[in-house]
């Protein structure tokens, strides 16, 4: 009897995984580019503001940034973005996808690029009875990721346009 119940739970979980419609990401869908114009601000100051913003949102920037070159005013890193997958049989799974973060500053302007990666996904937790992890996001997950990237963009825009509070003393 236990084997039948366990088999039923596992098969229901696998059915839920099979019903998720993952979307294949095109190059255009996986790449997000944000340009910033910040007149009269030198590139090293923009780099410092961007790095400060990354430290604020990620806590320990060393966990995210692989390259942090002030002379070249470049930041390169890899981070995780979270999205919720809803299963047809009920329940949610919080999924994670890696993305590359690239930042480059020039005098009066900067660019941030975020590239959603199709490898290295993992699931924080799995609903009861499922054995599948998270892969590429479904359409709803992709929309959630776009919202997260928009928020990151708005925060970066604000950080680049404001002086540091430490500059005031």
């Amino acid at each position: 009897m236990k084997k039948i119940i366990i088999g039923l739970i596992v098969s229901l979980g696998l059915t839920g995984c099979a019903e998720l419609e993952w979307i294949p990401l095109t190059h255009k869908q996986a790449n997000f580019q944000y340009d910033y114009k910040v007149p009269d601000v030198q590139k090293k100051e923009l780099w410092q503001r961007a790095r400060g913003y990354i430290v604020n949102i990620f806590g320990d920037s060393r966990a995210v940034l692989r390259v942090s070159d002030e002379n070249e005013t470049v930041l390169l890193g890899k981070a995780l973005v979270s999205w919720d997958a809803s299963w047809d049989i009920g329940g949610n799974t919080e999924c994670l996808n890696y993305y590359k973060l690239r930042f480059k500053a020039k005098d009066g302007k900067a660019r941030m690029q975020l590239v959603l990666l199709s490898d290295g996904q993992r699931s924080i937790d799995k609903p009861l009875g499922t054995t599948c992890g998270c892969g590429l996001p479904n359409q709803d997950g992709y929309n959630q990721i776009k919202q997260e990237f928009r928020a990151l963009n708005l925060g970066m825009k604000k950080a680049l346009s404001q002086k540091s509070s430490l500059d005031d003393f």
Side-chain angles (χ1 to χ4, degrees), residues 93-158:
T93 297
E94 184 177 10
C95 299
L96 299 171
N97 280 83
Y98 284 108
Y99 66 94
K100 288 182 185 177
L101 181 146
R102 298 177 184 137
F103 177 87
K104 173 72 176 161
K106 295 183 178 181
D107 290 340
K109 62 184 180 178
R111 173 174 288 166
M112 180 174 66
Q113 295 174 321
L114 306 175
V115 180
L116 189 59
L117 302 176
S118 60
D119 63 336
Q121 308 83 8
R122 60 188 177 102
S123 170
I124 292 177
D125 58 353
K126 295 180 183 176
L128 180 65
T130 64
T131 57
C132 62
C134 297
L136 291 173
N138 57 14
Q139 188 61 51
D140 185 50
Y142 180 69
N143 290 336
Q144 292 173 50
I145 290 170
K146 287 193 310 187
Q147 286 181 328
E148 290 292 323
F149 285 177
R150 277 188 212 115
L152 188 64
N153 168 47
L154 292 174
M156 181 64 79
K157 184 176 183 176
K158 183 177 178 183

Side-chain angles (χ1 to χ4, degrees), residues 153-167:
N153 168 47
L154 292 174
M156 181 64 79
K157 184 176 183 176
K158 183 177 178 183
L160 293 176
S161 64
Q162 294 180 340
K163 279 189 165 184
S164 168
S165 61
L166 296 176
D167 292 339

Side-chain angles (χ1 to χ4, degrees), residues 51 54-68 75-81 98-101 122:
R51 189 170 185 289
I54 290 170
V55 167
N56 283 336
I57 61 169
F58 291 107
D60 181 7
S61 65
R62 292 173 297 187
V64 174
L65 294 177
R66 306 293 194 259
V67 174
S68 181
L75 298 169
L76 302 174
K78 189 174 182 182
L80 289 166
V81 62
Y98 284 108
Y99 66 94
K100 288 182 185 177
L101 181 146
R122 60 188 177 102

Side-chain angles (χ1 to χ4, degrees), residues 20-40:
L20 281 175
E21 294 182 28
W22 309 114
I23 59 170
L25 293 177
T26 65
H27 178 75
K28 185 176 180 179
Q29 288 174 309
N31 287 273
F32 298 81
Q33 182 170 295
Y34 306 99
D35 292 322
Y36 310 98
K37 293 201 183 296
V38 192
D40 303 324

